Amino acid sequence: MKRFFKVLLYAVLFIAIAIGGLLIYINSKAIPHYDPEVIELTVEVTPERVIQGKKLANTLCVECHYNEETGKLTGKFSADLPPEFGKIYSRNITQDNFYGIGKWSDGDIVRLLRTGVRPDGEYLPAYMPKFPLMADEDIYSVVAWLRSNDERIQASTEEAPPSEPSLLTYALTQFVMKPYPLPKEEITVPDSNDAVALGRYLATGQLACYACHSKDFKDMNELEPEKSLGF
């Protein structure tokens, strides 16, 4: 009997040390960085694209990045996110060259929106929405709007505090959440005469309605939305 308890004690100690070592490893690695894939792209800024980009940004970007104190998209505390992610702040996405995205190329913006990888290689976890299924033209429209003269995105040196991701976020980004691949072919907006196809695109590709209406964010499938749990 004494031998049994001795073996059990050693087993418990081994498991505790292994778990402790894993937690230390995860914490030390934090959120992974990746080699950002270069996208050679110059988006033509047209009035039509700016108008469409503004509509999309008002739905997809402004709520998270707009700071009422600055009146611009300088970032703020993301109060609606699950606390399990940690203390998360959205970033400054104004046209400032240092604090914002003024020096980013059009390809940098497209890569972030599709894959979640910033120009410096930092990966932004699930609290930054990705749009791997958005049509190219809609993505370009968002880029065009970010280059426009909208007052909310004019250069500002204001910025939110750095985020404080949780250990869970570190673990998820190291073992579960990974950057999405860039599309291998052009993605087009469905014909407006095909109401079903267009509606499906709006719900899964452009506006990602399923992200809020599915059962659990942990089981969302952003590459095949219909396979998300509780879609």
Side-chain angles (χ1 to χ4, degrees):
M1 184 61 71
K2 288 184 179 180
R3 178 178 175 80
F4 169 78
F5 283 111
K6 186 175 182 179
V7 172
L8 179 61
L9 177 60
Y10 282 141
V12 171
L13 287 175
F14 175 80
I15 294 173
I17 292 172
I19 293 175
L22 178 62
L23 293 178
I24 292 173
Y25 170 81
I26 291 173
N27 192 60
S28 67
K29 291 295 183 180
I31 294 177
H33 281 60
Y34 297 86
D35 291 329
E37 185 173 346
V38 177
I39 302 176
E40 298 293 346
L41 173 68
T42 300
V43 173
E44 180 183 2
V45 178
T46 65
E48 293 77 17
R49 280 178 170 169
V50 171
I51 291 173
Q52 174 68 355
K54 182 178 180 179
K55 291 179 181 178
L56 294 175
N58 283 338
T59 302
L60 303 172
C61 312
V62 172
E63 182 178 356
C64 290
H65 290 274
Y66 183 74
N67 188 310
E68 293 185 357
E69 294 183 2
T70 64
K72 297 182 179 182
L73 305 190
T74 53
K76 63 178 182 179
F77 175 61
S78 301
D80 292 336
L81 287 177
E84 291 82 5
F85 277 133
K87 194 174 184 180
I88 307 301
Y89 293 86
S90 57
R91 306 284 182 91
N92 180 327
I93 59 171
T94 70
Q95 296 169 2
D96 187 82
N97 286 337
F98 182 78
Y99 295 95
I101 61 174
K103 284 189 175 181
W104 289 26
S105 70
D106 293 347
D108 289 336
I109 298 174
V110 170
R111 184 186 57 249
L112 175 71
L113 292 174
R114 290 215 182 277
T115 72
V117 177
R118 290 167 50 89
D120 60 3
E122 179 187 358
Y123 172 67
L124 297 183
Y127 43 76
M128 163 64 194
K130 322 297 188 299
F131 304 96
L133 303 181
M134 183 180 282
D136 292 7
E137 184 56 36
D138 280 339
I139 286 273
Y140 299 160
S141 293
V142 174
V143 174
W145 177 75
L146 288 169
R147 305 301 195 200
S148 74
N149 60 2
D150 191 304
E151 182 60 31
R152 295 171 295 176
I153 51 175
Q154 298 312 298
S156 173
T157 59
E158 298 290 337
E159 62 175 347
S163 293
E164 300 174 16
S166 65
L167 189 63
L168 173 62
T169 299
Y170 289 161
L172 289 173
T173 55
Q174 289 174 39
F175 301 113
V176 180
M177 299 175 182
K178 303 293 181 181
Y180 291 118
L182 291 168
K184 295 182 179 180
E185 299 178 351
E186 179 184 7
I187 302 177
T188 60
V189 177
D191 190 326
S192 59
N193 292 319
D194 188 337
V196 173
L198 181 60
R200 177 180 181 273
Y201 166 67
L202 296 178
T204 62
Q206 186 194 83
L207 303 177
C209 305
Y210 70 93
C212 289
H213 292 277
S214 293
K215 186 173 182 179
D216 195 325
F217 80 91
K218 297 190 295 297
D219 296 290
M220 282 195 304
N221 188 331
E222 291 181 288
L223 295 179
E224 298 179 280
E226 288 92 337
K227 292 184 179 180
S228 300
L229 182 66
F231 175 80

